[in-house]
């Protein structure tokens, strides 16, 4: 029995190393985004997903980039991978909703915005995303409700900005 102990200890010690490559590639991608190097960021997020296909944040970040470069269908696949891995990832639902909007699937987008809020009701960004969607549909009352909810869960500085937006709406 004792001869297995070193193997178990070695495996446990190496376990963080298996996760590190995907996290390292994600960090590389975020640094590339900060430097506005979309190609390098895309490559880093792809490598993170090759290392760990269930890395929700890498899938989300690559999905956002796919939207920027005009590939909403591929973005939907990445956002879906993110929410399958982490069903509480509200921003991934909102990202998928934005991709569906680009494909003119308003009903699908509405469902995803609702899921975003259900998954992450304390994330002001998901409320802002749905508020924008509702505003585009000329649902001013719905947009105001979402902005009010966003304000309630946002930090103080962001809440002040949201309050200024609310005051500008009819």
């Amino acid at each position: 029995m004792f001869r297995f102990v070193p193997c178990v200890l070695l495996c446990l010690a190496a376990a963080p190393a298996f996760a590190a490559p995907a996290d390292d590639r994600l960090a590389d991608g975020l640094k590339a985004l900060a430097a506005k190097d979309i190609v390098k960021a895309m490559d880093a997020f792809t490598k993170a997903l090759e290392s760990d296909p269930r890395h929700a944040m890498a899938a989300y970040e690559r999905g956002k980039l796919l939207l920027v470069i005009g590939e909403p269908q591929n973005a939907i696949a990445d956002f879906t991978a993110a929410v399958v891995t982490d069903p509480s990832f509200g921003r991934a639902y909102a990202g998928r909703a934005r991709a569906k909007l680009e494909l003119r699937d308003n009903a699908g987008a509405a469902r995803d915005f609702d899921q975003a809020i259900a998954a992450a009701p304390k994330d002001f960004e998901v409320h802002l995303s749905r508020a924008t969607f509702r505003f585009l549909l000329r649902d001013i009352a719905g947009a105001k409700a979402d902005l009010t909810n966003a304000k309630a869960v946002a930090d103080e500085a962001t809440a002040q900005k949201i309050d200024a937006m609310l005051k500008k709406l009819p």
Side-chain angles (χ1 to χ4, degrees):
M1 176 173 155
F2 288 108
R3 64 185 164 148
F4 293 110
V5 171
C7 290
V8 170
L9 291 175
L10 180 62
C11 288
L12 289 174
F18 294 122
D23 289 340
D24 291 347
R25 298 299 73 78
L26 173 66
D28 292 344
L30 294 172
K31 285 179 193 169
L33 275 181
K36 300 188 187 308
D37 188 341
I38 293 175
V39 173
K40 189 173 181 180
M42 181 70 76
D43 183 56
F45 297 141
T46 299
K47 285 180 180 172
L49 288 167
E50 287 168 355
S51 176
D52 179 3
R54 294 184 48 83
H55 200 292
M57 187 58 74
Y60 170 72
E61 291 295 339
R62 188 172 75 175
K64 289 187 341 184
L65 279 180
L66 288 166
L67 268 179
V68 168
I69 65 171
E71 293 189 27
Q73 199 68 51
N74 290 329
I76 287 171
D78 276 355
F79 292 132
T80 299
V83 298
V84 165
T85 300
D86 182 0
S88 68
F89 198 169
R91 292 181 188 192
Y93 287 106
R96 189 169 70 182
R98 288 189 302 274
K100 288 179 179 180
L101 283 175
E102 292 211 13
L103 296 171
R104 303 192 192 294
D105 178 6
N106 286 358
R111 284 190 300 275
D112 276 341
F113 281 125
D114 291 346
Q115 285 183 300
I117 290 174
K122 294 186 179 188
D123 184 344
F124 75 90
E125 284 195 24
V126 298
H127 292 282
L128 290 177
S129 291
R130 189 171 73 177
T132 302
F133 169 67
R134 287 179 162 177
F135 185 76
L136 292 172
L137 293 178
R138 307 218 190 291
D139 176 5
I140 303 303
K144 282 182 177 180
D146 283 334
L147 288 171
T148 301
N149 291 333
K151 179 182 167 187
V153 297
D155 61 86
E156 188 176 329
T158 304
Q160 288 176 357
K161 291 176 185 175
I162 294 169
D163 193 46
M165 282 188 257
L166 278 165
K167 289 177 180 174
K168 291 180 181 180
L169 290 176

